[in-house]
Amino acid sequence: MSDGALPGHVVVEATPQGEVLQASDRAGFTAIRRLIDCANIDVSSAVIGADYYSDTLLMLIELAFREGECNTPAQ
């Protein structure tokens, strides 16, 4: 899926017309895409403490992955 961000980045701010204003490769932001895809979230290379918002997102996404349907075996 092309969203206008650089490879390995996700759009974190865009205009209503879809123009990318900001993109990020920080672990918390990229983990959102991985959670949507129910892909494993690897935080081993994350630089914790570099960005409050990214760190907070990462913490919440790890919780959502662990407690949500992505971590539930198919029945």
Side-chain angles (χ1 to χ4, degrees):
M1 171 176 75
S2 175
D3 56 15
L6 298 170
H9 290 64
V10 293
V11 175
V12 295
E13 183 181 9
T15 66
Q17 296 76 27
E19 178 187 352
V20 176
L21 298 175
Q22 293 186 55
S24 177
D25 66 347
R26 295 211 186 262
F29 295 109
T30 59
I32 294 171
R33 178 170 286 157
R34 298 191 61 77
L35 178 65
I36 291 167
D37 294 338
C38 285
N40 286 333
I41 299 169
D42 178 17
V43 297
S44 62
S45 63
V47 180
I48 305 301
D51 182 286
Y52 171 81
Y53 296 107
S54 176
D55 292 350
T56 302
L57 280 172
L58 187 57
M59 179 185 66
L60 293 171
I61 290 166
E62 286 180 305
L63 177 65
F65 183 84
R66 186 181 70 233
E67 300 296 327
E69 291 185 26
C70 287
N71 205 25
T72 303
Q75 306 237 352

